[in-house]
Amino acid sequence: MIQVTKKTVSGILAFVLLITSLMIQPLTIHAESTLDLNAESAILVDAGTGKVLYAKNADIALPPASMTKMMTEYLVLEAIDEEKIDWDTTTQISDYAYKISANVLFSGIGLTQNKDYAVRDLYNAMAVFSDNATTIALAELIAGSETEFVKMMNDKAEELGLSEYKFVNSSGLDNDSLGDDMPEGTDPNASNLLSARSAAQLAYHLVNDYPEALEISSQTEVEFDEHKVENLNWMLPHEATYLQSFHYEGMDGLKTGNTELAGFTFTGTAERDGTRLITVVMKTGSKEERFKETAKLLDYGFNNFASEELFPAGHQLEDEGTLPVAKGKENEVSVSISEGIAIPIQSEETELYSLEYNIDEEKLNDNNEIVAPIEKGEKLGTATLVYQGEATDHGYIFDQESVVVDVVSDEAVEKANWFMLTIGAIGDFFGNVFTTAVDWIKGLF
């Protein structure tokens, strides 16, 4: 008969805990490998740092459908910021915009000609209900015509550093839907093109440059022409029972899209505990699927990453806390990084990051010394964050491989006076003579 003692029970419990930890740990560390997304392409980005946390075919240019309107939103907000228009500026509806509004295939909000519409109402209809005609009306207001507005869209895309893009109209409809009204100089069969990365880049600029965009995109419903219209973003807290199952805590934007060519697309953003994430899913199979896949991305980001300050401002590298100085009252100068480095990382990866100094060669003499005088806080070079782990590092949303901060002097070092420099030079001379003599004598024996 087997006797069960306290010691036996303790051993069994320890074994169970060990096995459990081994089973659970890979799910956290390798969560990305199990993130099976039903989307042609996708990306997940930290909105604060631009760090890419996940990517799937993120650089393939695809039709974005109404996610195109994020660029129209940006240009409208920029025009308001530059005081070219304001929220109360009014405009009337052109024949072109009216035709789009009256076409039931485009699910238009319904516009009336010979009536003044305020920018605020047109923007609400565009951002919340994804209306195409109000988008065209705003484009015509800002640029005079959609043709000129498309030029502005492409110029702004280049300025913002979008990686893959082609704008042919302001709304996101396919050009063949616009008929004779398509913008001049564009292909009749063309569609707007964005990659998941460039859509996220655009969203990154939109939410960081004009955070008021989120105040509008987070509205569950808005009133237009005395009618209420609901936001097409089902991840907001809608009252309809069916839509409540899609609600995602912290969601406040950003833009849905759908055409036959594009499938169902969505650029989303949510904030929890001070961390904002941006997601893009492209070419999903249904309205429901684009939100389900977005929830997967957000869960992955919020559950597996946390922002950590890896190196605080003033941090010094071990054994590299000082640099040698030439022609100074001091022989060395203390150096450190000018600002802290905080990025979202997976748990238990803190030790996998290090810093590498890159001292400016123009600051160094032939003996790799910093030549005095040196001012306090003077930039002497840079420090690059280096990741030494095995997991895939997706880098950053724009053209940078890592975080780079300045390396600065912690103190001032004055230039030595002429007398001390002369004494030093004499000392160096006789030191060299002595060394040469010793070497000569050694050579005799």
Side-chain angles (χ1 to χ4, degrees):
M1 182 175 180
I2 299 175
Q3 299 221 346
V4 179
T5 64
K6 288 185 178 179
K7 186 175 181 180
T8 304
V9 172
S10 298
I12 292 171
L13 288 174
F15 178 77
V16 171
L17 287 172
L18 175 62
I19 295 299
T20 303
S21 66
L22 290 174
M23 292 174 64
I24 293 174
Q25 189 176 9
L27 293 178
T28 300
I29 296 176
H30 302 295
E32 180 179 334
S33 63
T34 61
L35 189 57
D36 185 21
L37 286 183
N38 296 318
E40 183 83 9
S41 67
I43 198 168
L44 169 67
V45 177
D46 175 68
T49 62
K51 187 82 174 69
V52 179
L53 309 182
Y54 174 85
K56 175 185 177 182
N57 300 327
D59 296 307
I60 298 175
L62 296 169
S66 280
M67 293 196 309
T68 297
K69 293 181 175 72
M70 290 190 294
M71 178 59 85
T72 304
E73 292 177 32
Y74 190 96
L75 291 172
V76 171
L77 292 170
E78 183 178 64
I80 292 172
D81 186 54
E82 294 175 354
E83 298 184 353
K84 295 177 181 176
I85 59 172
D86 60 44
W87 288 112
D88 296 320
T89 300
T90 60
T91 188
Q92 294 196 351
I93 306 304
S94 66
D95 292 342
Y96 166 34
Y98 179 74
K99 280 194 292 184
I100 295 297
S101 176
N103 191 325
V104 294
L105 296 177
F106 301 146
S107 302
I109 204 166
L111 296 175
T112 302
Q113 289 192 290
N114 301 316
K115 176 180 177 178
D116 290 334
Y117 285 93
V119 167
R120 185 184 307 278
D121 292 329
L122 296 173
Y123 187 103
N124 276 338
M126 170 181 65
V128 173
F129 192 63
S130 198
D131 185 73
N132 296 305
T134 53
T135 304
I136 294 167
L138 286 168
E140 292 174 333
L141 171 65
I142 290 173
S145 69
E146 190 178 29
T147 295
E148 292 302 313
F149 190 79
V150 167
K151 294 178 184 177
M152 291 177 62
M153 296 173 81
N154 286 295
D155 288 345
K156 184 57 64 174
E158 181 179 4
E159 179 186 325
L160 296 179
L162 271 60
S163 49
E164 299 88 17
Y165 65 88
K166 180 182 179 182
F167 291 105
V168 297
N169 61 60
S170 63
S171 64
L173 292 169
D174 300 326
N175 259 6
D176 61 10
S177 300
L178 304 179
D180 294 337
D181 294 309
M182 71 175 187
E184 294 177 16
T186 61
D187 189 324
N189 299 312
S191 297
N192 295 298
L193 292 173
L194 289 175
S195 65
R197 182 184 301 276
S198 53
Q201 290 168 339
L202 179 53
Y204 175 90
H205 280 293
L206 185 59
V207 302
N208 284 296
D209 295 350
Y210 300 108
E212 59 266 37
L214 295 173
E215 297 176 13
I216 297 172
S217 66
S218 61
Q219 298 175 102
T220 306
E221 62 179 23
V222 294
E223 188 170 296
F224 189 90
D225 270 358
E226 300 181 358
H227 297 286
K228 289 187 183 293
V229 291
E230 287 203 347
N231 199 316
L232 300 184
N233 178 0
W234 292 358
M235 300 184 82
L236 295 172
H238 287 267
E239 292 184 3
T241 304
Y242 172 69
L243 300 185
Q244 288 175 7
S245 62
F246 295 95
H247 175 229
Y248 194 90
E249 181 184 349
M251 171 65 61
D252 53 5
L254 196 55
K255 194 70 205 68
T256 58
N258 169 233
T259 64
E260 184 176 350
L261 188 61
F264 293 88
T265 66
F266 181 50
T267 297
T269 182
E271 183 176 29
R272 288 183 179 178
D273 299 324
T275 296
R276 176 172 294 283
L277 300 179
I278 294 170
T279 62
V280 179
V281 293
M282 301 187 75
K283 209 149 192 175
T284 67
S286 67
K287 292 179 181 179
E288 294 83 358
E289 191 170 61
R290 64 183 169 189
F291 299 126
K292 290 178 181 178
E293 303 314 295
T294 296
K296 288 181 187 178
L297 282 171
L298 290 171
D299 282 345
Y300 172 67
F302 286 125
N303 293 340
N304 290 280
F305 293 84
S307 182
E308 282 213 30
E309 186 174 52
L310 299 172
F311 301 99
H315 176 82
Q316 295 181 311
L317 286 187
E318 188 176 351
D319 300 328
E320 294 186 60
T322 61
L323 294 176
V325 173
K327 299 183 179 181
K329 288 187 176 182
E330 306 292 339
N331 294 325
E332 59 184 21
V333 61
S334 174
V335 297
S336 63
I337 58 175
S338 61
E339 57 185 294
I341 298 177
I343 63 170
I345 63 171
Q346 296 197 56
S347 59
E348 301 179 1
E349 285 204 328
T350 304
E351 302 301 322
L352 298 179
Y353 289 89
S354 61
L355 287 178
E356 286 185 359
Y357 279 176
N358 304 286
I359 303 304
D360 188 349
E361 292 184 0
E362 294 183 359
K363 298 282 186 180
L364 300 173
N365 63 13
D366 292 339
N367 296 319
N368 289 325
E369 300 167 315
I370 305 293
V371 181
I374 303 168
E375 296 180 3
K376 182 177 181 179
E378 181 178 340
K379 179 181 176 181
L380 302 178
T382 59
T384 302
L385 183 67
V386 178
Y387 176 69
Q388 298 167 318
E390 295 181 359
T392 301
D393 187 341
H394 295 289
Y396 292 77
I397 196 169
F398 295 104
D399 290 334
Q400 68 180 87
E401 295 181 0
S402 187
V403 177
V404 178
V405 297
D406 291 344
V407 174
V408 298
S409 57
D410 296 327
E411 58 208 1
V413 178
E414 295 180 18
K415 186 174 183 178
N417 59 44
W418 68 270
F419 179 75
M420 294 304 298
L421 290 174
T422 302
I423 294 296
I426 293 172
D428 289 342
F429 172 77
F430 282 108
N432 291 333
V433 170
F434 178 77
T435 300
T436 302
V438 169
D439 290 342
W440 180 74
I441 294 172
K442 284 182 179 178
L444 293 178
F445 298 95

